[in-house]
Amino acid sequence: MSFFFLISVAGLLVVAKFLFLVPPKLSHLPRAPLLPLLFSYLSLEPEDERIRRIILPFANEKGEPVVLVWAFGMWFVHIIDYEVGIRIAMKDKTWVRQLPPQDLLFWKFVGHQNLVFTTGEEWKKHSRVVTSVFLRQPPIQDFVSVAQRLINAMDRDPNKTVPWDKLAKRVTIDILSITVLGNDIRALDWPDSPIPSTYNRCVAGLTAPPYIFLPFLDKYFPRKGIVNDAAYLREFFMDLIKEKATNPGNDLISLMLAEPSFSEQDVLDNVSLFFVAGHETTAGALSSIIYYFATHPEQQEAARAEVCQVFTLKDSLDTNLIARMPFVFACIQEAMRMNNPSNFTLPRSNSVPTTLGKYAIPPDTLMCFSMSGVHHLEKAWERHDIYNPERFMDPNAGGTAFFGAGLRQCPARHFAMWELRTITIMLLNEYKWSLPPGSAHKDKVQNSFSFSTNLNLPKDLFVTFERLQQ
Ligand code: HEM
């Protein structure tokens, strides 16, 4: 009995050492306390709460530029200082992005021949093509028509209190389908039709935390339904790619096909990537923007006054007109600062020794740039936890990194910002809105648990829209 007890204790100690012990080469770095972290993960605490409670005090109270954080059985260096992150870390060309394990089912949907997966010369090819297709004139009229579809759907709905987080996801999926695929799947009108429903089921399955934590589960307990969903969507994308090869349109598939260096496989894998990278990120941002307006009626009114002054003809919305609404833009940035759509970047590792602030970092260390950390630094953002769009009207406002930074920052950042600005302006022009009585979000936005995607997605956010008197 006691022998087995001793063996079990020894076994547990070995596992704990393997899982939790800080590697000696990193023991000089400040470290987030392990037990609160584990408790946070096990209690499914949303990412933003964990960062505020456990990580941010290292920056705001102790002035540390970095902190070690345990996740997935490893210790990651989180960079929480803007200067250190932007000026040193994200520009370092010796740093290589580390991807989650290759056997994750997730990669079956996204594929390997795309911007996120490739390295070296192959990555340069993908980066050149993808950057150039996103540099085209933003498709404002496509954004406008989806916003109009949203408005029609809300007007048809007798219940003016709508599940905004869900609508935002349908808006962004429609925009992706029109602008990337050149094929309108109309998720706003028909959310239960095969493509949107398969897509939602598939992404939920691919990012389910148990399978992200333990990727081997898919090997021993295959999820046929999810595998079939991923194959069905890939086939749908591939059929469109074949169609666009002979009948090109004004969409990103056609633009990528026009690049001689890109094969159909390159196009397919990048299109799949655009969906997973561009759908929930943008929907989360849209939810937060509408949320902060709902809880700050004065700023909502001021933004609407700006819209009404500049935007008089409905069909004339373009980049010039949108650029003449700086306060709306300030409100959008402030909402994204408060509830950063993506909390931190995928990890990088360095091939040579480096220095972050006062700390020496040995080679082969895993490091993430914490956008949520730097957007809540007390020294850069006075009263960082207060929504104050005015701070972005100041040309010397603190530096932001909503889309990451450096070589691997989001290639669709301008596209996403124009999309968010267009939808917000269209809504301000038609409605005023607030939270319904008794909303769980009254005092603070409530995000869902998003450990595997690391996004801030407001959860069950109902908003009451009221038509403006014309
Ligand atoms: C508000 C909306 C968005 C946010 C906040 C956002 C945020 C980010 C961030 C932080 C990264 C960098 C990740 C890292 O460094 O590890 C990234 C990368 C990326 N994003 Fe976005 N994104 C948004 C919208 C979009 C959209 C609409 C698309 C495509 C249609 C897109 C496509 C991509 C791609 C392809 C990458 C990978 C870049 C690379 O690996 O070099 N994103 N995004």
Side-chain angles (χ1 to χ4, degrees), residues 90 97 115-117 123 127 130 134 176 179-180 252 270 273-275 277-283 285-286 336 340-342 344-348 371 401-405 407-413 415-417 419-420 455:
M90 307 304 284
R97 176 127 98 202
L115 184 60
V116 83
F117 215 94
W123 174 77
S127 176
V130 170
F134 278 111
L176 283 172
T179 58
V180 175
L252 297 192
N270 278 296
L273 172 65
F274 294 168
F275 267 74
H279 177 222
E280 290 200 325
T281 41
T282 319
L286 197 51
M336 289 171 73
N340 212 88
S342 174
F344 44 85
T345 63
L346 287 168
R348 274 75 165 148
M371 283 90 78
F402 307 126
F403 299 95
L407 284 176
R408 291 285 195 149
Q409 66 182 312
C410 179
R413 54 198 179 281
F415 174 98
M417 274 304 195
E419 172 179 347
L420 294 170
L455 302 177

Side-chain angles (χ1 to χ4, degrees), residues 339-356:
N339 199 34
N340 212 88
S342 174
N343 284 300
F344 44 85
T345 63
L346 287 168
R348 274 75 165 148
S349 93
N350 51 333
S351 52
V352 293
T354 188
T355 309
L356 292 178

Side-chain angles (χ1 to χ4, degrees), residues 265-424:
Q265 191 65 41
D266 291 333
V267 177
L268 176 64
D269 289 0
N270 278 296
V271 163
S272 315
L273 172 65
F274 294 168
F275 267 74
V276 291
H279 177 222
E280 290 200 325
T281 41
T282 319
L286 197 51
S287 286
S288 302
I289 293 162
I290 296 307
Y291 166 77
Y292 283 103
F293 274 136
T295 47
H296 296 81
E298 274 178 32
Q299 279 91 345
Q300 185 187 148
E301 211 36 66
R304 181 171 302 104
E306 184 181 69
V307 170
C308 294
Q309 198 183 9
V310 177
F311 180 31
T312 45
L313 285 171
K314 275 191 183 170
D315 55 353
S316 66
L317 206 54
D318 60 16
T319 50
N320 287 332
L321 209 65
I322 295 172
R324 284 171 49 207
M325 301 181 221
F327 187 67
V328 174
F329 192 33
C331 293
I332 290 173
Q333 292 177 89
E334 179 66 346
M336 289 171 73
R337 184 193 69 78
M338 288 289 287
N339 199 34
N340 212 88
S342 174
N343 284 300
F344 44 85
T345 63
L346 287 168
R348 274 75 165 148
S349 93
N350 51 333
S351 52
V352 293
T354 188
T355 309
L356 292 178
K358 56 190 174 189
Y359 294 109
I361 307 289
D364 302 321
T365 299
L366 291 169
M367 294 169 281
C368 306
F369 181 39
S370 170
M371 283 90 78
S372 290
V374 302
H375 288 153
H376 286 276
L377 280 188
E378 196 64 71
K379 68 177 181 189
W381 307 98
E382 202 188 334
R383 302 194 66 198
H384 68 92
D385 47 357
I386 301 287
Y387 174 79
N388 172 19
E390 286 293 339
R391 60 173 111 230
F392 279 102
M393 298 300 279
D394 178 351
N396 299 318
T400 57
F402 307 126
F403 299 95
L407 284 176
R408 291 285 195 149
Q409 66 182 312
C410 179
R413 54 198 179 281
H414 301 299
F415 174 98
M417 274 304 195
W418 287 115
E419 172 179 347
L420 294 170
R421 292 167 85 173
T422 307
I423 308 278
T424 306

